[in-house]
Amino acid sequence: MLKLSSVLELTAKGLKDSTENWKDFEELKSLFCCKTSAMYDYVAAHRQDDDFYGFQFLNGVNPNMIQLCSQIPPNFQVTDAMVKPFLQEGTSLEKEMKNGNIFFCDYKTLDGIQTRVYNGEQLVVATGFCLLYMNPENKLTPIAIQLLQQPAKENNLFLPSDSETDWLLAKMFIKNADSIHHQSINHLLNTHFVVHGCALATLRNLPLIHPLYKLLIPHFRQTLHVNTLAQTRVKDRSGISSRTTLTLEGRLKLMAQVHQSETTYISLCLPENMAARGLMSVPNFHYRDDGLELWGHIQRSVKRSPFHTMWS
Ligand SMILES: [Fe+2]
């Protein structure tokens, strides 16, 4: 019903199947003219603000990349002098790292992953770093972006003091890399395919009366069905794969590499994951606060269940 009403609305506005490009952000407003909300208005007004950009690494779609930075990676060419103007007066990058106020995202897993050709040109994906500073107002803000892993002389390192369009474009390249990582790893791999293995192992190896089976099975109610649909869609070369930055082969290679090198039992446990990334005391990190509360409820519920008593 929702889909039908959306199609009717797009048809009425002359936008259904349209291949015209948007000319500016003002035109986008026509798409949402009947559906404004406080959230929409806030995002539209603050979409280019550095504070809001930083906030999204903690509380946006993908809070899984950011980590505490206690040492700048050797191939990240940022220096103290470069970022000093964006830190509080009288401090330095070294001092702020010691105080636990510097964070970074590293997109090295995208290095060497095959991208699609669009209009005869090979698409480029950022594989570098975004450095962020938790300022005295407890606002996380980007202070340097290096687009590629390999240091280069030109067009690689960007700062908030660069021209507005250069800095905006650098932030967009990083967001694109972040989005690719989120959809391929944190969504498709970890929430669909890793769970698929757990569901199959439960169905194949545990008897119906096993305490673990009883605890797990309600959570796998639609896993196999949804994953079968997801696999069909992901592997359809005329579908999603024909519109994203990576090729199908590139996406599968990325998932296989990350699964082999980074997926561990601990990495899937929220408290340990947060601690390993140095994020336990970051202010205004609602994803962590809500997630740990939920984690605690599930843990207490499992411990209270008769299955746990039988099992332990
Ligand atoms: Fe999903």
Side-chain angles (χ1 to χ4, degrees), residues 277-291:
R277 287 158 58 203
L279 303 176
M280 288 308 272
S281 56
V282 182
N284 301 324
F285 192 6
H286 313 304
Y287 167 79
R288 174 204 58 210
D289 298 340
D290 294 350

Side-chain angles (χ1 to χ4, degrees), residues 187 191-192 226:
H187 180 199
T191 67
H192 284 278
V226 167

Side-chain angles (χ1 to χ4, degrees), residues 15 18-25 27-28 118-119:
L15 294 169
S18 169
T19 53
E20 298 286 309
N21 289 330
W22 304 110
K23 290 188 191 72
D24 53 42
F25 270 88
E27 274 200 331
L28 268 175
Y118 179 72
N119 279 349

Side-chain angles (χ1 to χ4, degrees), residues 116-123:
R116 208 161 52 85
V117 173
Y118 179 72
N119 279 349
E121 281 187 46
Q122 193 80 44
L123 292 175

